[in-house]
Amino acid sequence: QVQLVESGGGLVQAGGSLRLSCAASGGNFRSYDMAWFRQAPGKEREFVSAIRKYGGGTYYADSVKGRFTISRDNAKSTLSLQMNGLKPEDTAVYYCAASSSTITSTLGRSRSYANWGQGTQVTVSS
């Protein structure tokens, strides 16, 4: 089982940028499909972005498309999320997730991922 630890969250003004990182250990990182989800207070966890194992494809929620960029460094077992043009509605706890086997149509479903980090808080002020 892979262990995941997120970092990079914080407080930023609207229009600003943050870069989240997720360090993986205890597993073969390159063999996992990876994703970012987020959960705002009182709301369900929602899909943000995913990247296929071996860097084979990237996927984004419509709400972040064009503003966020997901990437992975398999040599360093690290997943990243570059967030630009942040909005107050991006405020949430952001979670890193890993799945050893996912079909494309289920990449956006939290149930597809068996491994989760503890989350990192992102707060965007207006």
Side-chain angles (χ1 to χ4, degrees), residues 20-60:
L20 304 183
S21 294
C22 173
S25 62
N28 185 5
F29 179 75
R30 64 185 68 232
S31 70
Y32 288 91
D33 295 322
M34 300 296 298
W36 290 97
F37 286 76
R38 66 187 182 187
Q39 188 167 18
K43 295 187 177 181
E44 293 186 354
R45 190 169 296 188
E46 65 173 358
F47 170 75
V48 175
S49 183
I51 186 167
R52 281 294 200 178
K53 62 185 74 174
Y54 310 117
T58 57
Y59 307 85
Y60 297 92

Side-chain angles (χ1 to χ4, degrees), residues 17 74 80 85 123:
S17 299
N74 286 335
S80 298
T123 303

Side-chain angles (χ1 to χ4, degrees), residues 46-101:
E46 65 173 358
F47 170 75
V48 175
S49 183
I51 186 167
R52 281 294 200 178
K53 62 185 74 174
Y54 310 117
T58 57
Y59 307 85
Y60 297 92
D62 288 343
S63 58
V64 306
K65 203 170 293 184
R67 299 188 298 123
F68 291 9
T69 302
I70 191 171
S71 62
R72 65 190 296 163
D73 185 335
N74 286 335
K76 296 182 178 180
S77 297
T78 301
L79 176 72
S80 298
L81 185 69
Q82 178 65 42
M83 305 186 295
N84 299 328
L86 283 161
K87 305 175 181 180
E89 51 264 43
D90 293 319
T91 295
V93 177
Y94 282 70
Y95 297 91
C96 171
S99 172
S100 59
S101 180

